[in-house]
Amino acid sequence: IHQKHADKIKNIELIEKYIDGELDDEKTNLFQNMLKNNPALAEEVNLRNEVNNAVKESDIIDLREQLEKIHKSFENNPKKGIVISIFKKKIFRPICAIFILIILSGALIYIFNINSISNDKLFSMYYQPYEATLIIRSGDDMDIMFKQAIQKYEDKDYESALSLFTQLESGIMVNYYSGITNMELENYNEAINLFQYIINHNNNLFVQQAEWYLGLCYLKTHQNEKAIEIFKKIKKDDNSYYKKNVNKILKYIN
């Protein structure tokens, strides 16, 4: 993985540590100053806070279901029923009322926010185009055209870049940058095919990145089952730069 791309992953990890309160006072102050001067970074933090809140609210719903199961098991067991009947008289009812109020409040927040934390918003939080670096080993026409395509890619002239990439012979690097270029142009199905080509060839330096971008393509196109499958595969790789990100995404999509 190129250094610039690795730095972006580290920035994402820094945001997560800030949100989770894992930074010391000095680093927290430095980061807050960065937020004041960097609106894009501040927006990124806000989006991540929204997702984290939605996940927490979803966990509350799961807890309520577990409590209902426990309550039913007490009712169906005569011995436990005696105990719970005592609690119902003096202790259980007021505690239950307070707890239910908390649960319902969380449920209402979850209902009102779930539509705002969509696949599209998750995608916008985690997607970054790959930073291109050039390694041109010879001066033949193919290398010159590839260099031109990469330059257009770096200039964010993605239509021109794609036009050049399609004239080049299919290969790992060409397909990889073509895949991200297609993502920038919202040609997600074409990008899926290109990343799948790289993954199928397996023994190359871009498999890990191709899996990540493939998962994001599935997320963007609402193919959640396929997205979950590829993200779980990434999650099993302890050496993956994307492991922490997929853990966050997997808590939300279903």
Side-chain angles (χ1 to χ4, degrees):
I1 295 178
H2 299 147
Q3 186 59 44
K4 288 184 179 180
H5 194 62
D7 289 342
K8 286 193 175 184
I9 301 300
K10 290 179 181 178
N11 287 339
I12 292 173
E13 292 177 353
L14 181 62
I15 293 172
E16 297 295 347
K17 287 182 178 179
Y18 171 74
I19 292 173
D20 295 338
E22 297 176 1
L23 299 179
D24 58 32
D25 291 342
E26 182 181 355
K27 290 182 179 179
T28 297
N29 290 333
L30 287 172
F31 190 81
Q32 288 174 343
N33 287 331
M34 289 172 62
L35 292 178
K36 292 177 182 177
N37 300 316
N38 191 334
L41 182 62
E43 177 64 19
E44 181 83 3
V45 171
N46 289 335
L47 284 172
R48 289 176 187 278
N49 271 321
E50 287 184 33
V51 172
N52 287 349
N53 289 335
V55 170
K56 289 175 184 177
E57 289 149 11
S58 178
D59 290 341
I60 290 173
I61 303 301
D62 293 338
L63 179 60
R64 181 181 63 181
E65 292 176 355
Q66 293 298 319
L67 286 171
E68 287 176 353
K69 289 179 182 178
I70 293 170
H71 182 65
K72 287 180 181 178
S73 72
F74 270 97
E75 289 181 336
N76 295 331
N77 188 313
K79 292 182 180 179
K80 293 179 181 178
I82 295 171
V83 175
I84 203 168
S85 65
I86 295 172
F87 277 100
K88 280 182 178 180
K89 291 179 181 179
K90 294 184 178 180
I91 301 173
F92 191 78
R93 284 183 179 176
I95 292 175
C96 214
I98 293 169
F99 192 79
I100 288 172
L101 182 60
I102 294 171
I103 291 293
L104 289 176
S105 298
L108 287 172
I109 293 170
Y110 179 76
I111 290 168
F112 284 117
N113 280 281
I114 190 167
N115 290 328
S116 66
I117 312 297
S118 61
N119 280 27
D120 290 342
K121 186 163 285 188
L122 278 172
F123 177 89
S124 68
M125 286 178 60
Y126 289 99
Y127 170 72
Q128 291 285 349
Y130 194 84
E131 292 286 344
T133 57
L134 286 174
I135 303 175
I136 305 300
R137 287 176 287 192
S138 64
D140 59 32
D141 291 341
M142 187 65 71
D143 285 333
I144 291 171
M145 186 178 292
F146 181 70
K147 183 176 180 179
Q148 291 172 342
I150 291 294
Q151 187 60 59
K152 293 295 184 182
Y153 175 93
E154 290 181 328
D155 293 340
K156 301 187 185 301
D157 183 359
Y158 295 112
E159 289 191 2
S160 297
L162 185 59
S163 176
L164 291 167
F165 282 133
T166 54
Q167 297 177 55
L168 293 164
E169 183 179 351
S170 177
I172 298 299
M173 288 188 69
V174 171
N175 283 16
Y176 179 67
Y177 285 112
S178 294
I180 301 172
T181 302
N182 274 290
M183 290 182 76
E184 289 290 335
L185 296 172
E186 300 184 358
N187 302 327
Y188 297 107
N189 289 329
E190 182 62 29
I192 286 170
N193 293 332
L194 292 165
F195 293 134
Q196 195 64 64
Y197 170 92
I198 295 167
I199 294 167
N200 290 343
H201 278 67
N202 192 33
N203 189 22
N204 63 79
L205 297 176
F206 291 93
V207 170
Q208 188 180 106
Q209 298 96 310
E211 288 175 344
W212 167 246
Y213 285 116
L214 177 62
L216 290 177
C217 285
Y218 285 141
L219 183 69
K220 184 68 175 179
T221 55
H222 301 278
Q223 300 181 66
N224 284 13
E225 289 185 5
K226 291 182 177 180
I228 290 169
E229 182 180 354
I230 195 72
F231 286 144
K232 283 184 176 179
K233 181 180 178 182
I234 295 171
K235 183 178 179 180
K236 293 178 181 178
D237 184 0
D238 292 332
N239 297 319
S240 176
Y241 277 91
Y242 307 102
K243 184 172 182 177
K244 187 170 183 179
N245 288 345
V246 299
N247 284 339
K248 294 282 185 180
I249 295 174
L250 285 170
K251 287 181 180 179
Y252 183 75
I253 61 174
N254 52 52

